Amino acid sequence: MLEALFYKSELLVRKHAKLPKRGIFNSIHWESKLIGIKGVRGVGKTTVLLQRLFELNLPTNEAIFISLDDWFFTQHTLVETAEYFIKQGGKVLFIDEVHKYHNWALQIKNLYDCYDLNIVFTGSSIIDIAKEEGDLSRRAVMYKMYGLSFREYLNIEYKFDFKELKWSDLTNTSSTNLIDLFPEDFKPYKYFNAYLKSGYYPFFKEGKDVYYAKIQQVIRQVVEYDMAELKGFDIRNAKKMLQLLGVIAQNVPFKPNVQKLAEKMDMNRLTLQNYLVFLMEANLINLLYPSGISTAVLQKPEKIYFENTNLAYALGGDTNIGTIRETFVFNQLKQLFSVTAVSQGDFFIDNQYIFEVGGKNKTNKQIETVPNSFRVLDDFEFTSTKNVIPIWLLGFLY
């Protein structure tokens, strides 16, 4: 019954095993009985599973990778397949693309409750296990996977071996103290602008000439298929969602007039705000909310950004350098910290640090009296000024 799945699993493990590991790989507590990894299409979730399988070095009858969008699962259920796998000596089950399978959460819950089986599953960034039938939130250890940081891009594309920087490395000293962590001839801006345009999604390795077309394909798949799983989203409005992204592309970052935007999209205000949150959950946009309030649907965002700079370029949006800088900073920081808007400066980090983003000529005037404030500046490799952070270094935090 499982011979074809065993064979596919072995082939895929061999294909992906030697690819560079993402930073998240060592953050996952692999010994947990039930692990979930969610993220937007194309960020590398499948590769992480296959690399872990290779590392386990178990025979296929004990550890297997399956994808629930495989034709096999039009004829067989997940539980039926897993039970047969267990009878063959199965111990570790890695399941890809769970969101494409009806009642996936309930079936995984049944497997978790009934069998001594280690399960790792991946799914779309929009899945919410607390809202699925057969609530897994008390059982699964969940991780969210994002696109490549600048550090990961350099390690994958140019075979560097850079390690993550600590937050204190950037905020407690001047960046000149970090010079020894980099090769003497390392020139970050030789690579940085290329990363901003086409380095966030690992599939850039498949060919830069088709990179933006693949991003646009991912967007359509997320909006037209993945979002069908969201409660409150009418799939008949997928076209409007794509149109909304087009409007955002021509205006980011901007402080939205939600009522006017709703009228332009022929939606009511609440529906629009819901859809903006859906796009944020799908990792297509970032919403910057004022500090001190929750990010509830009824709250109006202060600004709207694309989730990453590559999306801005792929959709032909505002690629003004100021927009790109802010988009990059927001993207890299929000993976690790809470990021909100503040009256003085551009971003408020964990309700403690204020960042003002700009070019090398940006002065300290706006934040000079503000404690724990930093200028995040472009065009510097390193600087001896303590409260100035070269922008590219934020790409080394994960």
Side-chain angles (χ1 to χ4, degrees), residues 30 50 75 123 159 206 216 291-292 371:
W30 291 108
L50 294 167
Q75 305 296 319
K159 306 300 187 291
E206 299 174 21
Q216 292 173 10
S291 58

Side-chain angles (χ1 to χ4, degrees), residues 300-338:
K300 184 179 75 170
E302 187 73 17
K303 284 186 179 180
I304 300 174
Y305 294 86
F306 276 118
E307 198 271 342
N308 63 80
T309 58
N310 291 186
L311 283 171
Y313 284 104
L315 293 181
D318 182 1
T319 52
N320 172 277
I321 187 59
T323 298
I324 294 299
R325 288 171 183 148
E326 290 184 28
T327 301
F328 168 76
V329 171
F330 194 2
N331 168 266
Q332 298 288 291
L333 290 177
K334 63 106 181 194
Q335 327 290 18
L336 304 168
F337 311 104
S338 70

Side-chain angles (χ1 to χ4, degrees), residues 222-292:
V222 169
V223 172
E224 295 177 350
Y225 296 100
D226 296 357
M227 285 191 175
E229 304 301 319
L230 282 171
K231 293 179 175 61
F233 179 68
D234 186 344
I235 194 62
R236 293 173 296 181
N237 282 334
K239 185 177 181 180
K240 283 191 176 182
M241 186 72 86
L242 293 172
Q243 290 172 340
L244 178 58
L245 280 171
V247 171
I248 291 171
Q250 300 307 314
N251 293 280
V252 292
F254 71 110
K255 185 172 183 178
N257 183 318
V258 174
Q259 186 60 46
K260 285 187 177 180
L261 190 55
E263 291 171 0
K264 185 172 185 176
M265 297 304 303
D266 192 25
M267 298 178 180
N268 66 57
R269 180 186 176 116
L270 182 57
T271 297
L272 175 68
Q273 292 186 193
N274 268 298
Y275 280 15
L276 288 174
V277 172
F278 291 162
L279 288 171
M280 179 179 68
E281 291 175 347
N283 282 1
L284 295 178
I285 65 172
N286 278 329
L287 301 178
L288 184 69
Y289 289 94
S291 58

Side-chain angles (χ1 to χ4, degrees), residues 153-280:
Y153 166 75
L154 290 170
N155 288 350
I156 290 173
E157 178 71 339
Y158 298 101
K159 306 300 187 291
F160 287 108
D161 188 27
F162 291 127
K163 308 303 180 187
E164 295 176 10
L165 294 178
K166 298 178 182 177
W167 181 247
S168 58
D169 292 331
L170 302 184
T171 57
N172 291 348
T173 184
S174 69
S175 62
T176 51
N177 291 333
L178 304 176
I179 291 177
D180 292 340
L181 300 178
F182 298 88
E184 187 174 344
D185 60 349
F186 178 66
K187 302 294 182 183
Y189 287 99
K190 179 180 177 181
Y191 315 100
F192 187 56
N193 290 329
Y195 165 79
L196 294 176
K197 292 179 180 178
S198 58
Y200 188 68
Y201 298 99
F203 52 75
F204 76 84
K205 297 290 287 182
E206 299 174 21
K208 294 182 180 178
D209 54 334
V210 297
Y211 183 71
Y212 291 159
K214 288 184 70 67
I215 289 178
Q216 292 173 10
Q217 182 182 15
V218 165
I219 292 169
R220 295 194 75 94
Q221 289 174 329
V222 169
V223 172
E224 295 177 350
Y225 296 100
D226 296 357
M227 285 191 175
E229 304 301 319
L230 282 171
K231 293 179 175 61
F233 179 68
D234 186 344
I235 194 62
R236 293 173 296 181
N237 282 334
K239 185 177 181 180
K240 283 191 176 182
M241 186 72 86
L242 293 172
Q243 290 172 340
L244 178 58
L245 280 171
V247 171
I248 291 171
Q250 300 307 314
N251 293 280
V252 292
F254 71 110
K255 185 172 183 178
N257 183 318
V258 174
Q259 186 60 46
K260 285 187 177 180
L261 190 55
E263 291 171 0
K264 185 172 185 176
M265 297 304 303
D266 192 25
M267 298 178 180
N268 66 57
R269 180 186 176 116
L270 182 57
T271 297
L272 175 68
Q273 292 186 193
N274 268 298
Y275 280 15
L276 288 174
V277 172
F278 291 162
L279 288 171
M280 179 179 68

Side-chain angles (χ1 to χ4, degrees), residues 366-383:
Q366 186 170 347
I367 56 173
E368 61 184 347
T369 61
V370 181
N372 291 326
S373 61
F374 296 82
R375 283 177 290 160
V376 178
L377 303 184
D378 204 355
D379 302 317
F380 280 107
E381 291 184 359
F382 298 95
T383 176

